[in-house]
C-alpha cells in the first residue's frame, strides 16, 4: 500500500470481529516498525501491555463489571472544545442509528468501549510516571506509527482514553507496575464490515485552521 493510502485508510474502528485472531507475525512486524518512532533523548517512553486469549477475556470482564458499579467520570472537554465531542457523537451515533434522545442506546454503545469493541487484542499504553509532556509526544509518535503499520497489514484499530479511566482495574488485570502511568487503551483486530459506524469518515480542518505560515 502506498504511504498516502495507509494514512488515509487508517481510522478508528468501533466493532471488531471477536473470533478473527490477529496473526502474531503481523503484530510483531508492526511493533518492530513502531519502535522506530522518535522520542525525546531516545527515551522510547512507550510501555505497552497487549492482552489476547484468556487474559483479554478477563480484562474485558473486569472492566465491564467495574463500569457498571462505578460509572466513568465525565471526561468532558473544556467549553472551548466541547462542541467537537458533540459533533463526533452526532456522526457516530447517527451512523449507528442511535437517536439523540436515546440515552439507553448511547450508553449501550459507550459500554462497548470497556470491552475494547470486542477486539481480540486489547492493549494498555503507559509511560513512566517521572516522564512529562515531551515524552508523551514520543508515546503518540509510537502509537501513530503502530496504527499505520497495522493498517498497512490490513488490521484495524482504535485508540481509547475510556479504558484508561479505570487505571486500577487495568493495572491489576495486566500486572502493570506502579511506576507506570496508564495513558490510554488500544484495540487491535479486524473490523466488522457490517457495522456502519466503522466506515464513517471523520472530517478534518483545513490545514490553515491549524498551521500558521510566517515568512517575514
Ligand atoms: C488519545 C485518543 C483517545 C481516544 N479515545 C477514544 C475513546 O475512548 N473511545 C472512542 O470510541 N474513540 C476514541 N478515540 C478515537 C477518536 O475519536 C478518533 O481518532 C477521532 O474521532 C478521529 O477519527 P479517526 O481515528 O477515525 O480518524 C481516541 C483517539 C485518541 C488519539
Amino acid at each position: 500500500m502506498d504511504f498516502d493510502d495507509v494514512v488515509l485508510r487508517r481510522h478508528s474502528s468501533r466493532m471488531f470481529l471477536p473470533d478473527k485472531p490477529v496473526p502474531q507475525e503481523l503484530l510483531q512486524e508492526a511493533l518492530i516498525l513502531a519502535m522506530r518512532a522518535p522520542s525525546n533523548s531516545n527515551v522510547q517512553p512507550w510501555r505497552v501491555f497487549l492482552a489476547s486469549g484468556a487474559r483479554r477475556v478477563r480484562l474485558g470482564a473486569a472492566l465491564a463489571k467495574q463500569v457498571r458499579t462505578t460509572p466513568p467520570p465525565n471526561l468532558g472537554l473544556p467549553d472551548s472544545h466541547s462542541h467537537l465531542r458533540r459533533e463526533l457523537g452526532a456522526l457516530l451515533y447517527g451512523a449507528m442509528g442511535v437517536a439523540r434522545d436515546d440515552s439507553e442506546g448511547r450508553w449501550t454503545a459507550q459500554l462497548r468501549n470497556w470491552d475494547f469493541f470486542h477486539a481480540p487484542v486489547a492493549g494498555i499504553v503507559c509511560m513512566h510516571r517521572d516522564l512529562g509532556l515531551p515524552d508523551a509526544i514520543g508515546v503518540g509518535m509510537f502509537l501513530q506509527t503502530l496504527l499505520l503499520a497495522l493498517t498497512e497489514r490490513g488490521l484495524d484499530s482504535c485508540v481509547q482514553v475510556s479504558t484508561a479511566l479505570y487505571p486500577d482495574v487495568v493495572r491489576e488485570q495486566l500486572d502493570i507496575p506502579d511506576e507506570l502511568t496508564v495513558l490510554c487503551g488500544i484495540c487491535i483486530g479486524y473490523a466488522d464490515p457490517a457495522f456502519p459506524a466503522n466506515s464513517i469518515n471523520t472530517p478534518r480542518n483545513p490545514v490553515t485552521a491549524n498551521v500558521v505560515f510566517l515568512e517575514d
Side-chain angles (χ1 to χ4, degrees):
M1 226 189 278
D2 170 67
F3 178 75
D4 292 11
D5 286 341
V6 175
V7 172
L8 293 172
R9 260 184 199 228
R10 188 225 50 84
H11 64 279
S12 299
S13 296
R14 294 183 176 85
M15 184 73 83
F16 292 82
L17 298 171
D19 299 324
K20 188 166 179 188
V22 175
Q24 188 61 23
E25 65 276 16
L26 295 188
L27 186 56
Q28 280 292 339
E29 284 172 14
L31 287 164
I32 288 167
L33 279 175
M35 293 296 291
R36 298 302 309 171
S39 58
N40 178 26
S41 297
N42 201 20
V43 163
Q44 302 162 70
W46 47 88
R47 295 289 179 274
V48 185
F49 297 77
L50 295 176
S52 54
R55 185 69 78 115
R56 154 77 186 86
V57 173
R58 287 206 299 278
L59 173 64
L63 278 169
K65 186 173 166 204
Q66 186 71 19
V67 77
R68 281 172 203 281
T69 53
T70 317
N74 189 0
L75 251 202
L77 288 168
D79 285 351
S80 52
H81 288 69
S82 59
H83 64 286
L84 295 169
R85 170 163 293 185
R86 283 195 297 277
E87 283 169 25
L88 176 64
L91 195 65
L92 272 177
Y93 293 121
M96 290 180 210
V98 179
R100 193 177 161 76
D101 57 357
D102 180 1
S103 49
E104 203 180 309
R106 287 185 169 234
W107 180 232
T108 303
Q110 279 174 39
L111 277 176
R112 288 195 284 269
N113 267 283
W114 292 283
D115 193 29
F116 296 84
F117 302 113
H118 310 318
V121 174
I124 294 292
V125 181
C126 305
M127 180 178 89
H128 196 282
R129 66 179 172 211
D130 293 347
L131 297 174
L133 276 182
D135 308 294
I137 294 172
V139 178
M141 301 243 170
F142 166 85
L143 269 178
Q144 171 71 341
T145 311
L146 177 62
L147 302 187
L148 295 179
L150 291 168
T151 303
E152 205 279 332
R153 284 158 180 76
L155 283 154
D156 299 295
S157 59
C158 189
V159 174
Q160 300 172 296
V161 72
S162 43
T163 41
L165 298 176
Y166 295 100
D168 296 343
V169 177
V170 298
R171 266 180 206 294
E172 188 186 340
Q173 293 299 322
L174 300 184
D175 308 319
I176 298 174
D178 286 346
E179 72 267 18
L180 298 183
T181 301
V182 172
L183 294 179
C184 64
I186 181 170
C187 315
I188 302 173
Y190 291 95
D192 182 347
F195 188 66
N198 278 348
S199 31
I200 59 166
N201 191 5
T202 49
R204 293 297 191 272
N205 299 335
V207 169
T208 48
N210 293 56
V211 180
V212 179
F213 296 95
L214 302 160
E215 290 182 348
D216 56 355

